[in-house]
Amino acid sequence: MAAAGLIPRVRRRSLGPRHVVGQRRWTPYLFMLPGLVLFALMFGWPAFISLQMSVSSYRIVTPVSFVGLQNFVGLAGDPQFHHAIANTFLFMAMFLPFAVVLPLFLAMLVNRPLRGIHAFRAAYYLPVVTSMVAVAVAWRYLLSQEGVLNWLLSLVGLGPIDFLLDTHWALPALAIVEGWKNMGLFMVIYLAALQGVPREQLEAATVDGAGAARRLWHIVLPAILPYVTVTLTLGMLESTRSFESIYVLTRGGPQDSTLTLGYYIWHIAFEKYDVGYASAAGLVLWLIMIALALANQRLTRRRDA
Amino acid sequence: MAVTTPVRAPEKPQPAAKTPVRRRRRQLGTYVVLVLVACVFVGPFLLLLATALKPSSQPVFSFPPDLIPRPPVVDWFVEAWTTIPYSRFLLNSVLYVGVTVPLYLIVSAMTAYPLARISFRGRQFFFVLFLSTMFLPGELMLIPRFLVMRELGLLDSYAAVILPAILSSLGVFLLRQTFAAIPDEVIEAARMDGASEWRIFLSVACPIARPTIAVLAILGFISVWNSFLWPLVALDDQSKFPIALGIAYLSGVSGADVRGLAAGTVLSLIPVIAVFVFLQRHILSSMAGAVKG
């Protein structure tokens, strides 16, 4: 062993350190080369173009021209943009219960050593792996004026509501579809979290006669709090990103009632061909997402301190 | 897992006699809740299937709902297959998966290996660089990637769909974690034997990381199979559409019967659901692992 370790060292000295090191120096970069090229092409360059476009006027048919902050000034005074931002946060508020609260109950429900429990976990996770387009097709039947949901409502004397064509109901309906589709993902996060709940404490509390609600509040919640921040952050980001459901179910309508920032950007860029203006709005959306992520991280740090 | 056995202490016969009955009743209650919740998550898909199997004589919507197809027919599956270039869409999706996923695995592994196992200057910087792609989600990259693809002359090509899907922070991150967890002695022993880094990567590190690579392959398959948004932007030519885009196209075809649309959608779901049913344990545990890591 000692000799084996010595020989290369001697050699290295005799050939000069640069030679040997020089051969090795490029190895890590060669490994990363495909990744770096793809990063440059698919992330770096587009990010640069985004910044460039946000301060340009560009409508596909006209050449690119620098306009400074004009796009942002335009956005500041654009009522449709304001409406889209309001809708984005409204949608987030409606989506978050499906990301932060309900999945915890799902996770507690399937966190039992019962026979066949894996099948139930899988069933709850199923919508996560299916395409939004397929989910939208299925939910269009459910949400239709003559659909099963309206029949259930009629049993309790409500409705009918044409969910996707009603300006009050379209956005909540989308939140339900997105929430339903993603709940399994958040359930899995909580499932991992529940493994860390001290079982002895739970059993002791049960013996002491603490009810389910008190056990949840005093023992489970404190133990899983870090994961709540994870679901909260992911839930916020996921909701600001939601686009496919809107595209396939409502196209921002009726009367812009489901026009979120993501859909607004799409609409401006690919239906009105105002690429510069849309890029500026995209930058605003990006800043909102970064701010949300940072705020959540701040929240975690403070609690840990 | 078998926590029930120690509870039944033999020296306390009375509660032991009571407990199993009560326990069984509670267990039954739990199962009822589990099944009801499962209906919420699986129900919409079953409804889709039921709709696809309904004969044209039976209305799709009715009050109260008439969900059981009488008799079940496969006509709509045939219809979906023939009215649009359905087989073409399926073939395209197979192609997208078949090219993207292997490239995704190779690039992720090659990028992750030096970040985990070779010490070089700027390692931390490159790791952060690759992780930063997490903050550039595809939804926000639609416009600039469209412009880049146009610049490269790749718009409306298979390459335009494949290229952006090859690099992801998740792949690099998970594989870096896996490579970093390999005991030092294993790698050092190979280095002692004079193996080059490439040799170590191929013959030592990658075989050890096989479980992670398998999980990434599954996740990659699901994500490419479901991809919709970027192909929608990048493609014009219908003959290059992946299946998700084909379904959206089918739902836009005027006069297409809802039952035909349902049938087409069910067909598109089969591969993903099949993979999921067989590999669900791996998928669920890997998602939990990714969150913990």
Side-chain angles (χ1 to χ4, degrees), chain A residues 58 115 124 129 141 180 286, chain B residues 31 34 40 135 150 226 258:
Chain A
Y58 181 49
R115 185 179 290 184
Y124 302 172
V129 301
Y141 298 136
W180 172 85
W286 185 75
Chain B
Y31 274 116
L34 282 167
V40 172
F135 297 101
R150 206 186 52 178
N226 291 341
V258 275

Side-chain angles (χ1 to χ4, degrees), chain A residues 178-192:
Chain A
E178 281 278 352
W180 172 85
K181 184 175 187 323
N182 291 302
M183 241 192 286
L185 183 67
F186 296 103
M187 171 193 81
V188 172
I189 297 174
Y190 279 129
L191 209 48

Side-chain angles (χ1 to χ4, degrees), chain A residues 188-210:
Chain A
V188 172
I189 297 174
Y190 279 129
L191 209 48
L194 289 176
Q195 313 295 319
V197 175
R199 182 168 267 164
E200 319 78 63
Q201 272 187 39
L202 273 183
E203 275 159 11
T206 316
V207 171
D208 290 347

Side-chain angles (χ1 to χ4, degrees), chain B:
Chain B
M1 286 293 130
V3 287
T4 39
T5 23
V7 179
R8 267 187 291 155
E11 58 267 29
K12 287 186 200 161
Q14 253 190 333
K18 233 172 159 184
T19 327
V21 180
R22 210 194 283 160
R23 183 185 294 268
R24 199 168 297 164
R25 197 172 293 163
R26 261 184 66 186
Q27 227 177 44
L28 195 71
T30 311
Y31 274 116
V32 169
V33 176
L34 282 167
V35 169
L36 284 178
V37 177
C39 286
V40 172
F41 287 98
V42 183
F45 296 113
L46 292 178
L47 180 71
L48 198 64
L49 181 64
T51 309
L53 290 170
K54 274 184 183 177
S56 49
S57 54
Q58 195 182 6
V60 175
F61 296 111
S62 56
F63 258 53
D66 180 19
L67 299 179
I68 312 297
R70 277 184 313 245
V73 292
V74 293
D75 304 12
W76 301 106
F77 289 92
V78 178
E79 164 122 353
W81 193 272
T82 49
T83 48
I84 56 162
Y86 201 91
S87 46
R88 180 74 201 216
F89 296 153
L90 274 181
L91 203 66
N92 284 338
S93 273
V94 169
L95 179 96
Y96 287 129
V97 168
V99 175
T100 312
V101 173
L103 285 177
Y104 169 57
L105 299 177
I106 293 168
V107 170
S108 299
M110 282 178 65
T111 309
Y113 180 74
L115 294 175
R117 305 294 338 189
I118 305 178
S119 62
F120 61 100
R121 201 189 284 175
R123 183 160 94 161
Q124 197 59 31
F125 166 78
F126 283 108
F127 182 53
V128 172
L129 187 78
F130 285 111
L131 271 197
S132 74
T133 59
M134 202 166 20
F135 297 101
L136 297 171
E139 286 83 351
L140 274 176
M141 304 297 269
L142 292 176
I143 303 169
R145 273 188 191 148
F146 175 83
L147 298 174
V148 165
M149 287 300 172
R150 206 186 52 178
E151 205 76 7
L152 295 171
L154 289 175
L155 272 186
D156 208 13
S157 72
Y158 286 105
V161 175
I162 292 164
L163 277 175
I166 299 175
L167 186 68
S168 97
S169 53
L170 182 74
V172 174
F173 178 75
L174 279 188
L175 277 168
R176 195 198 83 116
Q177 301 294 93
T178 310
F179 288 145
I182 300 173
D184 284 339
E185 305 87 66
V186 177
I187 302 280
E188 282 312 315
R191 283 196 184 135
M192 288 292 191
D193 291 342
S196 69
E197 289 298 336
W198 298 95
R199 184 96 235 144
I200 300 173
F201 170 67
L202 283 176
S203 325
V204 180
C206 282
I208 293 177
R210 207 179 286 154
T212 308
I213 293 175
V215 162
L216 285 175
I218 300 165
L219 296 179
F221 164 74
I222 291 171
S223 117
V224 174
W225 189 268
N226 291 341
S227 70
F228 169 75
L229 196 49
W230 172 245
L232 175 73
V233 170
L235 296 177
D236 249 345
D237 183 359
Q238 216 195 88
S239 70
K240 297 187 182 99
F241 279 8
I243 189 67
L245 207 50
I247 296 295
Y249 170 78
L250 181 62
S251 73
V253 176
S254 55
D257 193 285
V258 275
R259 285 162 278 218
L261 177 61
T265 309
V266 169
L267 283 179
S268 82
L269 285 169
I270 289 172
V272 161
I273 291 185
V275 165
F276 177 65
V277 166
F278 283 114
L279 304 168
Q280 40 100 0
R281 273 190 207 206
H282 296 275
I283 298 176
L284 290 183
S285 62
S286 75
M287 286 322 290
V291 171
K292 269 187 196 159

Side-chain angles (χ1 to χ4, degrees), chain A residues 112-178:
Chain A
R112 297 158 204 261
L114 288 180
R115 185 179 290 184
I117 200 71
H118 284 282
F120 286 105
R121 286 180 194 169
Y124 302 172
Y125 195 79
L126 183 65
V128 179
V129 301
T130 52
S131 76
M132 192 66 222
V133 177
V135 163
V137 171
W139 274 85
R140 213 154 11 162
Y141 298 136
L142 279 170
L143 293 169
S144 141
Q145 193 156 14
E146 296 120 19
V148 175
L149 274 188
N150 267 313
W151 175 70
L152 289 174
L153 282 180
S154 75
L155 292 183
V156 289
L158 295 171
I161 303 165
D162 204 344
F163 288 98
L164 295 174
L165 291 176
D166 186 315
T167 49
H168 297 291
W169 284 103
L171 199 63
L174 284 178
I176 290 173
V177 176
E178 281 278 352

